[in-house]
Structure formats: structure tokens, C-alpha cells
Amino acid sequence: MSANKFTKKFWGRLILAAAVVLLVVGDLLTTGVGSLFVTLGAMGLGFVGLLLAFAEED
């Protein structure tokens, strides 16, 4: 495993963890439209994390 692939997987997993924390904490602290924006932001962040976590080695 190359260092670049390890780094991508590490950051991908870290971003996924941040997305989950954002989703849980943000939904607890916001209501209405703010909750929608927090949910959409967490989904986008989670998607980027998934792309990095499962990136193929070049």
C-alpha cells in the first residue's frame, strides 16, 4: 500500500466521521430550514469522504 493511498483512506475516513458528527450535532441544535441545510451539507461531506475512503490506487 502506497503512502498516497493510505493518506486518501485516512482523510476519507476522517471526513466521514466528521460528516456523521455534523449530522447528529447539527440536527440536534437546529430546526426547520437550518436542519435541512445541515443535513444536505453532511450528505455532501459524506459523499466526498466515501470517494476518498474507497479511492483506487493510481
Side-chain angles (χ1 to χ4, degrees), residues 26-40:
D27 277 342
L28 289 175
L29 296 178
T30 59
T31 58
V33 178
S35 180
L36 173 68
F37 287 128
V38 167
T39 303
L40 291 175

Side-chain angles (χ1 to χ4, degrees), residues 1-13 51-58:
M1 178 186 303
S2 70
N4 190 26
K5 185 176 179 184
F6 174 76
T7 303
K8 282 183 182 178
K9 285 189 175 290
F10 170 76
W11 282 110
R13 291 176 183 154
L51 287 176
L52 287 174
F54 293 106
E56 294 294 322
E57 188 170 357
D58 297 331

